[in-house]
């Protein structure tokens, strides 16, 4: 009898312990959780589990606690220091939030895990990138964020390594070498999860690389497939038919400079269509004559798959379709910048679209089921194209006067850094609007005698200081109400600009998110803004003087909704009724490659950074 009671008590105690342990184990993220992440059917409401919140990357949050009625009381809930060894301290990373933890990447491939309620640091991980890395990247050792699944955080280190960390402890689980930093391959893009794989693309398109994006097994980091964005050098075997087709669009001795075609920002996974869609950067070097062409024949060679939106089978990496935004690009108009997928009515028809607003200054809407062109509309003044040929699946008609060489300079709109760079746009399906930070500018292109890999900012082959002829006047087309830069709310159904806030945003950093309570949040320069999503009425402007900033997220923990984002020195988390004092630590001076001077006050980014060819994280 006594023995039975003892056994029963022991069993109850053991069961209680097991159930306590189970209760304390956070539910892991997996492919199924990710499929509904951030949607109305979210299995983990309040979390932020993938770069663009949802796999559609709309950055549209279901959270409604913060709304128009209480946003005036939004204040700092907590701040946490984000010091970066090496003194760079810049950031472009969208954080993730899972298990009450904020995961924030900083430049130099550093990850912070912070308590999402208090900011207390749980752990910090430093990938200890190869010391040559900063000198082998065009635009700074930036990192745009992490992926999470299967209990692992996936970090892409700047020196082209993929690293899996235990999401709870921060301990390293596996590493995979994606490419060789000594060959000028690097990574800044945030990895994305596609089923059992993690997808990653390489940077380095301003050097002599052969670009690609690839899938690695989430389990052990083994390569699953690779899609080259540029064909192999002549004489070498083709990987597949897509490479064979691409080879016909190149000529001359292009291969001695690699070809380019970096995949450094736009990447999206559609589980329903089993597609990975990637945005591909410029061919390398930039002047067409350095890629084996002449003024007479350059328009005949498209240089596939550079400057293209490329869709591949998520399981095999085989090409499904592509749309080339800029055939034979000479102006660094990379087809990068985040994608947004949506199902919308266009001309009375339900379309599954993918949208992108890349450096070219054109807002593209493509049917993602088949790559069919729907529309291409300039969102800033442009002059590199004269129109889009609807009969030829929207192929742009390149302006013949946009050609430049060593003796002829040409003023091209948009300018260096592009009309829209990495700063994320967002889409509110209720308001039916896309929120796009943009820069309207121009740049005077002239070719150098030859590309120089040791030149700062890349080996793109541009001359500086102008040519013998300058600024060939060319007609400019596009909207005329956009100023030099800002935030525009666009209706993708009609391509109308519904509202615009000039003088903020663009490619100087930050980004946007939008919520089901009709709000848009934007970080830009030294301010967090909030607007009404439908009308653009400004509701809030919170100043901070900490550099950066990175894109904002919103999340809910313990029934409190927060808006959080990284600056160059601190993570800031805001909530309604927050009363903490804003940190006043001055950010280190200088952009990406600067040494940093703690005494120097930050120079506020110019309202139009378009004149700069390379600045913070513009690839
Ligand atoms: Ca580029």
């Amino acid at each position: 009898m006594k023995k039975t009671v003892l056994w029963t008590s022991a069993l109850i105690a053991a069961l209680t312990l097991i159930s306590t342990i189970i209760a304390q184990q956070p539910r892991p993220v997996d492919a199924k959780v990710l499929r509904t992440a951030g949607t109305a059917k979210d299995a983990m409401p309040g979390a932020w589990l993938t770069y663009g919140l949802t796999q559609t990357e709309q950055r549209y949050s279901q959270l409604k606690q913060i709304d128009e009625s209480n946003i005036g009381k939004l204040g700092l809930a907590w701040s946490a220091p984000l010091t970066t060894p090496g003194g760079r301290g810049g950031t472009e990373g969208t954080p993730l939030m899972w298990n009450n933890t904020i995961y924030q990447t900083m430049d130099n491939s550093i990850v912070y895990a912070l308590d999402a309620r208090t900011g207390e640091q749980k752990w910090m991980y430093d990938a200890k990138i190869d010391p040559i890395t900063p000198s082998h990247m065009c635009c700074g050792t930036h990192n745009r964020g992490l992926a999470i699944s299967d209990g692992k955080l996936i970090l892409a280190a700047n020196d082209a390594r993929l690293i899996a960390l235990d999401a709870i402890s921060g301990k390293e689980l596996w590493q995979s070498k994606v490419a060789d930093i000594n060959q000028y391959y690097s990574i800044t893009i945030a990895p994305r999860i596609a089923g059992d794989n993690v997808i990653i693309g390489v940077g380095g398109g301003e050097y002599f690389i052969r670009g690609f994006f690839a899938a690695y097994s989430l389990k052990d980091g083994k390569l699953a497939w690779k899609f080259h964005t540029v064909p192999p050098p002549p004489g070498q075997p083709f990987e597949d038919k897509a490479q064979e087709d691409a080879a016909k669009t190149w000529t001359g001795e292009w291969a001695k400079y690699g070809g380019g075609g970096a995949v450094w920002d736009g990447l999206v996974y559609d589980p329903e269509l089993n597609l990975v869609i990637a945005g591909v950067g410029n061919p390398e070097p930039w002047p067409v004559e350095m890629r084996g062409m002449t003024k007479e024949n350059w328009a005949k060679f498209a240089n596939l798959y550079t400057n293209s939106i490329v869709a591949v089978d998520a399981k095999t990496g085989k090409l499904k379709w592509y749309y080339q935004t800029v055939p034979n690009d000479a102006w660094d108009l990379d087809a990068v910048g985040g994608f947004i997928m949506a199902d919308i009515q266009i001309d009375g028809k339900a379309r599954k679209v993918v949208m992108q607003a890349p450096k070219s200054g054109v807002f593209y809407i493509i049917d993602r089921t088949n790559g069919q062109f729907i529309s291409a509309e300039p969102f800033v003044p442009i002059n590199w194209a004269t129109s889009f040929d609807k009969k030829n699946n929207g192929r742009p008609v390149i302006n013949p006067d946009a050609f430049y060489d060593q003796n002829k300079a040409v003023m091209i709109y948009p300018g260096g850094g592009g009309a829209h760079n990495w700063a994320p746009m967002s889409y509110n399906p209720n308001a039916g609007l896309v929120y796009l930070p943009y820069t309207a500018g121009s740049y005077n292109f002239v070719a150098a005698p030859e590309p120089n890999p040791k030149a700062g900012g890349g080996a793109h082959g541009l001359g500086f200081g102008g040519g013998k002829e300058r600024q060939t006047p060319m007609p400019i087309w596009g909207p005329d109400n956009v100023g030099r830069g800002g935030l525009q709310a666009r209706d993708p159904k009609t391509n109308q600009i519904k509202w615009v806030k000039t003088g903020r945003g663009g490619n100087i950093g930050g980004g946007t998110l939008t919520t089901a309570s009709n709000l848009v949040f934007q970080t830009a320069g030294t301010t967090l803004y909030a607007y009404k999503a439908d009308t653009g009425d400004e509701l809030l402007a919170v100043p901070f003087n900490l550099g950066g900033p990175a894109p904002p997220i919103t999340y809910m923990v313990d029934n409190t909704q927060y808006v959080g984002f990284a600056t160059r020195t601190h993570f800031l988390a805001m909530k309604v009724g927050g009363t903490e004092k804003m940190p006043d630590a001055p950010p280190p001076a200088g952009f990406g490659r600067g040494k940093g001077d703690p005494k120097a006050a930050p120079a506020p980014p110019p309202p139009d950074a378009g004149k700069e060819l390379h600045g913070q994280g513009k690839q």
Side-chain angles (χ1 to χ4, degrees), residues 577-599:
T579 54
E580 288 296 306
K581 192 172 166 290
M582 197 61 84
D584 56 3
F591 279 133
R593 280 164 291 151
K595 275 164 136 180
D597 174 3
K599 281 175 288 186

Side-chain angles (χ1 to χ4, degrees), residues 465-481:
K468 288 173 190 164
E469 291 174 46
R470 287 184 65 92
Q471 304 189 10
T472 308
M474 285 198 288
I476 295 164
W477 61 303
D480 58 5
N481 62 340

Side-chain angles (χ1 to χ4, degrees), residues 367-424:
D367 184 328
R368 70 181 188 274
T369 66
N370 55 16
Q372 198 189 334
F373 169 85
I374 295 174
S375 67
E377 196 69 39
F379 59 89
V380 294
I382 70 164
N383 68 356
W384 59 269
T386 55
S387 61
F388 295 87
D389 183 358
K390 292 208 164 106
K391 288 190 190 125
N392 197 3
N393 202 40
R395 186 185 166 98
V397 179
I398 303 289
N399 189 331
D401 293 329
F403 178 84
Y404 61 91
D405 58 27
Q406 284 182 63
N407 299 311
K408 179 191 173 192
V410 177
M411 185 68 80
I412 292 293
Y413 292 77
H420 173 226
N421 207 280
W422 59 270

